[in-house]
Amino acid sequence: MLNLERLRTLDALARHGSVSGAAEGLHVTTSAVSQQMAKLEREVGQQLLARNGRGVRLTDAGRLLADHAARILSQVEVAQSDIEAQRGRVVGEVRISAFPTAARGLFPAAIRALHEGHPELRIRSRELEPEAGIRGVIRGDLDLGVVLDWSNKRLPVPGGLATAHLLDDAADVAMPVDHPLAGRQEVDLEEFADDDWVSWPEGEFCHDWLMFTLRSKGFEPRIAHLAGEYHTQLALIAAGLGVCVAPRLGRGAVPEGVAIVPVRQKMRRHIHAVWRIDADRRPSIRAAVEALCEAARMVDGG
């Protein structure tokens, strides 16, 4: 008989591509991963891993068994979902992620509601950028992710995932209070062609969106500062060091020295929850999605 936990370890190795990645995804030590794989190799009587430089790779037998493991684990999740659905109780653990402003704007109310309404359910949350959140859900490291795309730039959602729209979040331009456009009722993005910009870090979805959007306005943006944390961006703006896009969700109090002006052609982020279709019937997933939807309804995203 093949041991389910060892198959889970093999599946994590196949998905993460390394022992350390599998250990992190499974929340165990690298030694534990190596021990499980050694036991699995003895069970099947074949070598499943081979050395590859400083790391390891799956052998042909390892890839074959990993393919079966992925299907077996998917069916196990379906079975667990069906059992939970039949029992009808919201219990166990749900692992969720969101990008920072959604974590700040949605998680406190949603998680508190889950604690109050379902005391047997344990929630583990973390901040992750949208692409990382989707990867975590696909790999099984997360049960649910809150992700975003923009009206003019969509984030691809792979097959096998279910989605629920939470809210549309408007974004404005933040600038120093002494900026020539700070007193305007509305602005156009092309009016900031000569300004320094503060952006999200390179490689993040929102940085790519900003570059795409500003270039579509006919100018090459001058990115002077990169900051992943929203409050850091606004602190740079308050110091007179540039302008930035400022979404409304999770914004909180605007620091002194910063003016916020709406954009004439509205910029909106579409915010969604994503989870695996094979977990769709789990009452805990449904409860988490409903709590996020309710938290979103309480937010004025513009």
Side-chain angles (χ1 to χ4, degrees):
M1 292 289 291
L2 292 172
N3 180 281
L4 189 61
E5 287 308 308
R6 288 164 200 156
L7 290 179
R8 198 179 304 279
T9 301
L10 176 63
D11 178 65
L13 264 170
R15 289 185 284 104
H16 291 277
S18 69
V19 172
S20 59
E24 182 178 355
L26 294 170
H27 306 289
V28 300
T29 64
T30 55
S31 176
V33 170
S34 298
Q35 290 173 16
Q36 288 284 59
M37 288 305 302
K39 291 177 181 178
L40 184 58
E41 286 183 328
R42 288 197 295 271
E43 285 180 350
V44 301
Q46 293 196 61
Q47 184 180 1
L48 303 176
L49 296 179
R51 288 290 176 189
N52 185 26
R54 294 185 177 181
V56 295
R57 62 173 177 81
L58 294 178
T59 64
D60 289 344
R63 285 194 296 270
L64 176 64
L65 186 56
D67 289 341
H68 284 292
R71 290 192 291 271
I72 290 167
L73 293 170
S74 178
Q75 283 303 114
V76 168
E77 181 146 20
V78 171
Q80 290 173 333
S81 297
D82 287 345
I83 290 296
E84 280 191 32
Q86 186 181 54
R87 186 170 52 190
R89 293 171 58 204
V90 179
V91 297
E93 179 180 89
V94 173
R95 301 157 298 169
I96 62 178
S97 77
F99 56 95
T101 52
R104 184 162 57 246
L106 299 178
F107 276 4
I111 295 173
R112 180 180 61 198
L114 288 168
H115 283 168
E116 293 173 351
H118 308 286
E120 295 181 86
L121 180 66
R122 186 159 74 101
I123 303 295
R124 290 171 51 196
S125 70
R126 62 185 300 190
E127 288 185 358
L128 282 178
E129 290 301 317
E131 302 98 323
I134 285 180
R135 288 195 300 269
V137 172
I138 291 172
R139 291 196 305 252
D141 302 336
L142 296 167
D143 298 301
L144 188 150
V146 177
V147 303
L148 68 89
D149 56 22
W150 293 82
S151 299
N152 62 336
K153 188 174 179 64
R154 298 296 183 177
L155 178 70
V157 176
L161 297 184
T163 66
H165 178 259
L166 299 179
L167 77 155
D168 290 336
D169 179 40
D172 308 307
V173 176
M175 66 197 77
V177 290
D178 59 358
H179 192 283
L181 302 178
R184 293 268 294 275
Q185 294 297 310
E186 291 183 321
V187 292
D188 293 309
L189 289 176
E190 48 265 42
E191 296 181 88
F192 299 93
D194 295 327
D195 284 274
D196 286 342
W197 282 83
V198 179
S199 174
W200 295 270
E202 292 179 2
E204 290 189 4
F205 181 75
C206 285
H207 175 84
D208 294 342
W209 165 81
L210 181 65
M211 299 298 290
F212 170 82
T213 299
L214 297 182
R215 286 167 177 164
S216 73
K217 299 299 180 180
F219 68 94
E220 181 65 25
R222 191 166 64 236
I223 305 298
H225 307 285
L226 300 173
E229 173 54 49
Y230 171 72
H231 293 298
T232 303
Q233 293 184 4
L234 289 187
L236 293 167
I237 303 305
L241 300 177
V243 301
C244 75
V245 169
R248 297 178 186 176
L249 177 65
R251 179 185 291 172
V254 176
E256 186 176 348
V258 175
I260 303 290
V261 182
V263 178
R264 183 171 289 108
Q265 293 182 334
K266 300 299 183 186
M267 301 182 294
R268 294 187 184 276
R269 305 188 299 178
H270 306 300
I271 299 171
H272 312 274
V274 299
W275 64 96
R276 294 184 303 281
I277 289 175
D278 55 18
D280 191 59
R281 295 186 62 194
R282 287 175 55 191
S284 55
I285 296 292
R286 306 308 307 175
V289 173
E290 289 169 10
L292 286 167
C293 287
E294 181 58 31
R297 284 191 286 269
M298 297 165 57
V299 171
D300 180 12

